[in-house]
Amino acid sequence: MRTMALMISLAFTSVIYSQVDIIPLPAEMNVGNGYFAFKQPVGIIYNAAVPGNHGVKFFKDYLKEFYDITEFKEGTEHSYGFPAEIFIDYSENYFPTKGTYELLIDKKGITIRGDTLGLFYGFQTLIQMLPPHVSNNLIQLPYVTIKDYPRFEYRGLHLDVGRHFMPLDFIKKYIDYIAYHKMNFFHWHLTEDQGWRIEIKKYPRLTQVGAWRNGTIIGRYPGRGNDNKKHGGFYTQEQIKEIVKYAADRYITIVPEIEMPGHGSAAIAAYPSLSCFPREPTKNYFPKNCIWSGDSTGKQVQQTWGVFDDVFCAGKEETFKLLQDVIDEVATLFPGKYIHVGGDECPKTNWKRCPNCQKKIKDNNLKDEHELQSYFIRRMEKYINGKGKTLIGWDEILEGGLAPNAIVMSWQGEAGGIEAAKQKHKVIMTPLDNVYLNLSQAENEDSLVFGGYLPLEKVYSYEPVPKALDDEKASYVLGAQGNVWTEYMNNTGIVEYMLFPRLSALSEVLWSPKEKRSWSDFEKKLQVQFKRYNLWKANYSKAYYDLKATVIPTENFDGVLWKLETKYPSAEIRTITHFAGRPYELKFDEGVNYTAPLLAKSTQLVAAISRINGKAISNPISQNILFNKATGKKITLTSQPSSTYKGDGAFTLVNGIQNEKGLTKSKQFLGFSGADCGAVIDLGKKETISNVVVHCLREPGSWIWQPQSVEVFVSDNGSDFTSVGLTDDFIVKVKGLETGTMKVAFNSTNTRYVKIVVKNWGKIPAGNPGESSKAWLFVDEIEINPPTP
């Protein structure tokens, strides 16, 4: 039997990562000169019996499915009498870190060395080395030596099946995708306002009623109607067991999530007594042009998205009884050590007016409803701990005090994770800005998506350990996780499209040594990785190839520049410009070659496409640039936006780009959490103006409120300002989505500096989703206009 102890005695070149397209990048790798080739039958030799032998089985199944290699011979080193291509060197004691493996390919064949987990990961690396296309079943692999191990203990991927149910076969494929990328946790989001997806024997109505909704909103929240189509489904306990085994065979632990105390509408529809107010019908959050599908008089499984006030009643013992019974069955079904309880987005509106909840607060000497939530989570944690499990919750479980042994999943940026680590609690980082894979991959996304923009490069650049933590506190960061929320993913193809290639980038963030990661090297590997997605018949986004367009100010603030970038230095970029009021078609053959940013000084449409040898390699992009006296001018913010929604900085408000597609939370907005938006615009010289228009967004279900007011001030010197007008009138521009404007009109005045104060509500008013929480203020474009002739 071969040994790898003296691998370094072979003649290898210097370390070269770009010649072998392995994702995630191994910790240590040397590439040699030469190739080893094999075809069927494939001989596999073992030094000893391997418990489970899942790595070999997985590899054989992969060769059968994707390479039509079906003949194998297997034996031990003392008994085989046939040529062998693969040598398995197994021991649980080779390396101190579980999952470590060594892989050697030379003229003698392929050797993989490690414990059972390490062997499995070694085979995933071998799969990554297989060419995407082969002829005559002949596979050639470059000589290589690899020693590899994971950086983080927790490398997770999440899937929400509550908003849209996903079939069993796809769940298995999803788990395979996790395995291909050497990730080890599948966070299965099983319950939501829009559907309860796990069979609970003791409470059959949870799936008889809670698994089905009578309709779904059409279009982006809050919707332009209701499709009136019944949607739903659930997984039986036998199916759950099947999936748990399927994942375990791939060394993947499933983390089930049972949401509490919020996001419980589906369970409440099944058992209304779980609500603080069982006889109150579920509140209709549809806009006026949308209606309930089906009976609207009782409790409903939600047909729209958002955050809802009707949460589990924390004052009733029967609530805890049902949830504990649910945990009994969940804990039996899922052998992993974690149970996720959500704990996020729980409005306190009903608790404040519920006699039972107020009594619970008084009886337990709690300060307020936030401490009541902490009581709720602590009580459930104690029960979960009694089952030998550890509770995980979203970072809202920090409110009112953290449960003693809880793990925090930090999604609202890094702050929750930092605070939990400082309190010596374990943390899983999953910040919306960096790893929410339901955000758009393209700036010019035509599909219906959640909103926001998360390009591949940003996922790859993510560092899970916050800079604010010292080495001791950083040790509490277990790892990170990508999240896939399915409000706008009603089929499996869309899920794959949103997943790839960003999952590949995230896998390298979580597995590979930080100091060895390189975006430029990762880019080189993408070409082969795209071919591998094709081999898998997986849908994936090609946004990586899209032209990147940015609107930037001119040096003298006398217009704007449309700057274009492409991933292909040899590509030809063709542009066309159409001015306002003229009919047009996107005929790029009649355009001009792009050589420098395009200057715009008036309202116009600009469009571009990239081509090689006359063939398009990207989707065409276009942009309306809408001019007013503020467009392209120098702007200074007097208050800063949230780091989560900072757009392109202050210039976002005067770049001439309005949110015409209705994308919420896009880079065209600046978002302010509980704070006002203040800006000073320098017109460059005195101009006669008579009104200011602020473009903004209202989406109460997402805690986004229109401005409480907009006030305009003017100044000749930029220091001494005088108020010229104020408004609180919000005019809806796009019905349903409720993008709108607030116009401050005033007597014509000649001025150079204009200050605009867009006032936030601060706290969300009573009786609304997120009551008492900080209101979000989203501001798009600011117009400064002259008197109408």
Side-chain angles (χ1 to χ4, degrees), residues 616-684:
I617 59 170
S618 72
N619 294 319
I621 62 172
S622 62
Q623 183 65 66
N624 279 313
I625 301 176
L626 306 172
F627 264 75
N628 60 81
K629 288 191 176 296
T631 306
K633 300 305 181 185
K634 185 176 182 180
I635 180 172
T636 304
L637 293 179
T638 59
S639 55
Q640 296 304 311
S642 163
S643 60
T644 308
Y645 303 111
K646 57 186 178 182
D648 287 325
F651 193 68
T652 303
L653 303 182
V654 293
N655 63 5
I657 310 302
Q658 294 180 15
N659 184 19
E660 296 176 293
K661 292 185 178 181
L663 287 174
T664 61
K665 304 174 186 175
S666 77
K667 65 179 296 185
Q668 296 162 14
F669 286 107
L670 297 187
F672 299 81
S673 177
D676 300 337
C677 169
V680 176
I681 299 171
D682 179 359
L683 300 177

Side-chain angles (χ1 to χ4, degrees), residues 428-623:
I428 299 164
M429 301 302 293
T430 179
L432 184 153
D433 263 9
N434 303 93
V435 294
Y436 267 46
L437 305 183
N438 51 307
L439 302 185
S440 175
Q441 301 195 68
E443 289 191 83
N444 295 277
E445 181 63 70
D446 291 327
S447 303
L448 180 64
V449 295
F450 185 78
Y453 175 47
L454 180 58
L456 181 65
E457 299 95 313
K458 189 170 182 180
V459 175
Y460 191 83
S461 67
Y462 176 56
E463 170 48 45
V465 179
K467 293 180 180 178
L469 297 179
D470 59 28
D471 289 345
E472 190 267 328
K473 297 299 188 295
S475 67
Y476 290 97
V477 178
L478 298 178
Q481 172 177 286
N483 289 343
V484 179
W485 301 99
T486 62
E487 285 95 335
Y488 303 115
M489 302 182 204
N490 60 6
N491 65 69
T492 60
I494 298 175
V495 175
E496 291 180 339
Y497 174 84
M498 300 304 288
L499 201 62
F500 298 123
R502 293 183 292 190
L503 175 61
S504 298
L506 181 61
S507 74
E508 197 151 297
V509 170
L510 299 180
W511 178 277
S512 307
K514 177 182 177 182
E515 66 277 6
K516 292 189 176 180
R517 280 167 36 208
S518 164
W519 168 247
S520 61
D521 287 345
F522 181 80
E523 282 188 292
K524 295 170 187 174
K525 295 187 287 189
L526 277 176
Q527 306 310 313
V528 173
Q529 191 69 7
F530 288 147
K531 294 176 182 177
R532 193 165 287 119
Y533 299 149
N534 291 331
L535 179 68
W536 299 342
K537 294 182 173 58
N539 197 17
Y540 63 96
S541 169
K542 300 176 181 65
Y544 170 79
Y545 296 115
D546 286 354
L547 287 169
K548 181 181 179 181
T550 311
V551 179
I552 58 177
T554 63
E555 185 177 349
N556 299 318
F557 300 102
D558 60 350
V560 299
L561 296 169
W562 199 48
K563 181 182 176 182
L564 300 173
E565 299 172 83
T566 177
K567 299 292 184 183
Y568 288 95
S570 60
E572 168 196 65
I573 301 177
R574 299 285 288 181
T575 66
I576 52 177
T577 302
H578 293 281
F579 293 93
R582 303 180 190 176
Y584 68 87
E585 293 182 57
L586 297 182
K587 295 182 177 180
F588 290 103
D589 287 337
E590 299 175 6
V592 298
N593 283 345
Y594 176 86
T595 57
L598 303 184
L599 174 63
K601 290 192 173 185
S602 63
T603 295
Q604 57 195 262
L605 178 140
V606 288
I609 196 168
S610 56
R611 307 190 301 193
I612 292 180
N613 299 324
K615 183 179 179 180
I617 59 170
S618 72
N619 294 319
I621 62 172
S622 62
Q623 183 65 66

Side-chain angles (χ1 to χ4, degrees), residues 184-398:
N184 62 343
F185 283 91
F186 171 38
H187 176 171
W188 203 359
H189 188 84
L190 288 164
T191 71
E192 255 304 337
D193 293 303
Q194 295 81 13
W196 183 283
R197 306 296 180 209
I198 176 172
E199 178 189 23
I200 301 297
K201 301 281 190 182
K202 195 167 185 177
Y203 298 95
R205 285 178 59 84
L206 286 173
T207 47
Q208 291 172 355
V209 175
W212 308 93
R213 62 176 182 265
N214 291 322
T216 305
I217 62 167
I218 299 170
R220 186 169 289 106
Y221 177 89
R224 60 178 187 274
N226 191 319
D227 67 8
N228 299 314
K229 296 177 181 177
K230 189 172 184 177
H231 175 86
F234 64 93
Y235 308 100
T236 67
Q237 292 201 0
E238 289 306 307
Q239 290 173 325
I240 295 283
K241 292 174 185 176
E242 181 182 343
I243 292 297
V244 167
K245 182 181 185 307
Y246 192 88
D249 287 349
R250 287 146 182 80
Y251 298 94
I252 292 166
T253 300
I254 298 179
V255 179
E257 181 175 1
I258 308 298
E259 279 269 21
M260 61 183 81
H263 290 285
S265 295
I268 290 170
Y271 296 97
S273 60
L274 296 172
S275 170
C276 289
F277 304 101
R279 296 183 180 181
E280 288 187 5
T282 300
K283 186 175 180 181
N284 181 1
Y285 284 96
F286 286 115
K288 292 180 180 178
N289 62 329
C290 298
I291 59 172
W292 280 110
S293 177
D295 179 21
S296 62
T297 59
K299 297 296 185 184
Q300 285 269 336
V301 178
Q302 291 290 351
Q303 299 172 31
T304 183
W305 322 128
V307 178
F308 308 99
D309 291 339
D310 204 5
V311 302
F312 290 131
C313 181
K316 295 179 181 177
E317 284 304 303
E318 66 181 282
T319 299
F320 293 99
K321 176 68 168 62
L322 181 142
L323 290 174
Q324 288 170 356
D325 289 342
V326 168
I327 293 299
D328 287 345
E329 297 191 30
V330 169
T332 301
L333 289 169
F334 295 94
K337 58 184 176 181
Y338 299 134
I339 293 179
H340 202 301
V341 299
D344 63 312
E345 297 176 329
C346 179
K348 310 302 188 291
T349 306
N350 280 8
W351 288 359
K352 287 182 178 179
R353 62 189 184 97
C354 171
N356 292 314
C357 290
Q358 293 305 308
K359 184 175 186 300
K360 187 73 72 175
I361 290 173
K362 182 178 179 181
D363 290 349
N364 290 275
N365 297 314
L366 305 176
K367 180 180 177 182
D368 55 19
E369 289 74 23
H370 292 288
E371 288 197 0
L372 180 59
Q373 173 158 340
S374 179
Y375 165 86
F376 193 114
I377 298 297
R378 285 170 182 264
R379 182 167 171 178
M380 290 307 302
E381 185 199 43
K382 184 177 180 180
Y383 193 81
I384 288 169
N385 290 165
K387 297 290 177 181
K389 309 287 186 178
T390 299
L391 178 146
I392 301 178
W394 302 108
D395 53 36
E396 285 96 331
I397 66 171
L398 285 159

Side-chain angles (χ1 to χ4, degrees), residues 82-262:
F82 51 85
E85 286 76 26
I86 301 175
F87 300 86
I88 307 299
D89 187 2
Y90 161 73
S91 173
E92 291 296 327
N93 302 312
Y94 279 144
F95 307 107
T97 302
K98 289 292 184 183
T100 301
Y101 70 92
E102 290 179 333
L103 171 64
L104 166 65
I105 302 176
D106 62 9
K107 63 183 180 181
K108 296 180 181 179
I110 302 162
T111 300
I112 305 176
R113 183 176 192 241
D115 56 22
T116 50
L117 180 57
L119 293 177
F120 186 82
Y121 290 146
F123 274 109
Q124 302 316 307
T125 295
L126 188 57
I127 283 172
Q128 282 274 315
M129 294 183 67
L130 298 175
H133 300 287
V134 299
S135 58
N136 300 319
N137 298 118
L138 181 67
I139 294 176
Q140 290 192 104
L141 301 175
Y143 292 170
V144 69
T145 62
I146 292 172
K147 182 175 181 180
D148 199 14
Y149 40 85
R151 179 185 174 196
F152 287 104
E153 172 186 339
Y154 188 106
R155 306 177 303 282
L157 185 65
H158 155 287
L159 181 63
D160 163 23
V161 295
R163 272 60 175 243
H164 281 103
F165 178 75
M166 298 293 161
L168 195 72
D169 286 347
F170 180 71
I171 300 300
K172 292 181 177 179
K173 182 184 286 189
Y174 201 80
I175 289 169
D176 282 341
Y177 292 150
I178 296 172
Y180 293 154
H181 290 85
K182 299 191 183 79
M183 299 170 80
N184 62 343
F185 283 91
F186 171 38
H187 176 171
W188 203 359
H189 188 84
L190 288 164
T191 71
E192 255 304 337
D193 293 303
Q194 295 81 13
W196 183 283
R197 306 296 180 209
I198 176 172
E199 178 189 23
I200 301 297
K201 301 281 190 182
K202 195 167 185 177
Y203 298 95
R205 285 178 59 84
L206 286 173
T207 47
Q208 291 172 355
V209 175
W212 308 93
R213 62 176 182 265
N214 291 322
T216 305
I217 62 167
I218 299 170
R220 186 169 289 106
Y221 177 89
R224 60 178 187 274
N226 191 319
D227 67 8
N228 299 314
K229 296 177 181 177
K230 189 172 184 177
H231 175 86
F234 64 93
Y235 308 100
T236 67
Q237 292 201 0
E238 289 306 307
Q239 290 173 325
I240 295 283
K241 292 174 185 176
E242 181 182 343
I243 292 297
V244 167
K245 182 181 185 307
Y246 192 88
D249 287 349
R250 287 146 182 80
Y251 298 94
I252 292 166
T253 300
I254 298 179
V255 179
E257 181 175 1
I258 308 298
E259 279 269 21
M260 61 183 81

